[in-house]
Amino acid sequence: MKNKIQELRKEWRITQSELADAVEVTRQTIISLENGKYKASLVLAHKIAQFFEMQIEDIFIFDREEENVCCSNQCGNLRRQTKSIEKS
């Protein structure tokens, strides 16, 4: 999962340590997030979004294939197929 943490942090002119302190994690966690080596929990993503006064999805870029998330159209098609099989 990609994110805009480093970009936002630089825009806000804050250090990794300052952000880490604000969201109650270690500087290493911020480094790992910025390098894409660590995926934030929902709680941490929420804290980061609150800090930057943004929505989570404006900071974290979800890759539907990587995250195995289906869009509503795909889910709808799957539900219709399942119902049709159940009726047979």
Side-chain angles (χ1 to χ4, degrees), residues 31-86:
I31 292 168
S32 294
L33 284 167
E34 289 183 355
N35 291 330
K37 295 184 188 256
Y38 176 72
K39 293 180 184 177
S41 68
L42 181 56
V43 171
L44 179 55
H46 182 70
K47 286 181 179 183
I48 292 169
Q50 282 186 315
F51 178 84
F52 288 114
E53 301 170 353
M54 300 176 77
Q55 299 293 315
I56 291 173
E57 52 275 355
D58 293 331
I59 298 172
F60 294 89
I61 298 92
F62 294 92
D63 181 341
R64 289 184 190 275
E65 289 180 19
E66 176 187 326
E67 298 297 326
N68 199 20
V69 174
C70 67
C71 68
S72 59
N73 198 22
Q74 290 172 329
C75 289
N77 290 338
L78 181 58
R79 281 192 289 270
R80 282 190 288 281
Q81 290 171 0
T82 304
K83 284 182 182 179
S84 137
I85 292 169
E86 290 172 353

